[in-house]
Amino acid sequence: MKAEKDKVIGFDYSLTVDGEKVESSFDNGEALWVLLGHGQLIPGLESALEGQEAGATLSVDIEPEQGYGERRDGMTQRVPKKYFQQAAKLKPGMTTVLALKEGGHRAVVVQKVGMTTVDVDLNHPMAGKSLHFDVTVNAVRDASAEELEHGHAHPPGAEAH
């Protein structure tokens, strides 16, 4: 079965940026499961996975415009500490997650920590970077009706929600 929109794909990956390994599911044993065509992956990686079958291995180089986009100037914002789960532990240069008012979360880089606020760079930490992925496709299957309704994959062993 080939990977395409509305198919669930399970894969292991290693991400390298500027010659340095950033993360790897090969190391932590936690394969990634996604529902293709539903915005869960950066465009370049999703395109590379389309048409692949279980057992495929690939190396993919992704430029910023197909990854996390180019860095944009003026993306600094001062945010009240209450929007951070572990505000007391924040230090400049750290990557953390910001809870958004409208729901959801966003990865940000801390620039300055004040008494009641935190200055953050809203660019994604990988914005402007070329990414290299080594991928092994473990499984490709049809999505269940529930997965299609929820808009994401349910990995093996995950309880319904």
Side-chain angles (χ1 to χ4, degrees):
M1 178 178 295
K2 292 190 182 292
E4 60 187 28
K5 184 176 182 347
D6 293 335
K7 300 283 186 197
V8 171
I9 181 170
F11 63 96
D12 280 297
Y13 69 95
S14 179
L15 169 60
T16 305
V17 178
D18 299 328
E20 182 179 328
K21 185 173 13 173
V22 175
E23 63 185 44
S24 174
S25 68
F26 294 108
D27 296 342
N28 67 22
E30 295 181 19
L32 190 59
W33 289 84
V34 297
L35 178 60
L36 287 181
H38 292 260
Q40 296 172 317
L41 295 173
I42 57 174
L45 185 56
E46 184 153 328
S47 294
L49 289 169
E50 288 178 1
Q52 301 295 329
E53 296 181 347
T57 60
L58 53 149
S59 289
V60 183
D61 290 311
I62 300 172
E63 295 305 315
E65 56 274 2
Q66 288 298 306
Y68 293 97
E70 295 291 346
R71 287 193 56 76
R72 297 185 307 185
D73 292 334
M75 293 289 291
T76 299
Q77 187 169 351
R78 183 161 285 161
V79 180
K81 281 187 173 179
K82 69 181 181 180
Y83 290 102
F84 298 93
Q85 288 185 350
Q86 297 185 356
K89 295 182 180 181
L90 295 178
K91 295 190 181 344
M94 289 178 67
T95 298
T96 189
V97 177
L98 174 63
L100 303 176
K101 286 182 189 176
E102 59 273 1
H105 299 87
R106 182 177 191 152
V108 297
V109 177
V110 176
Q111 293 184 317
K112 179 181 173 187
V113 180
M115 293 296 290
T116 60
T117 61
V118 179
D119 291 353
V120 296
D121 180 349
L122 296 173
N123 283 295
H124 188 281
M126 294 290 165
K129 298 185 185 234
S130 297
L131 312 173
H132 176 80
F133 286 91
D134 289 308
V135 178
T136 298
V137 178
N138 301 323
V140 178
R141 65 171 171 78
D142 289 322
S144 68
E146 183 179 43
E147 288 171 317
L148 291 170
E149 180 183 327
H150 292 177
H152 61 258
H154 296 160
E159 295 181 21
H161 57 94

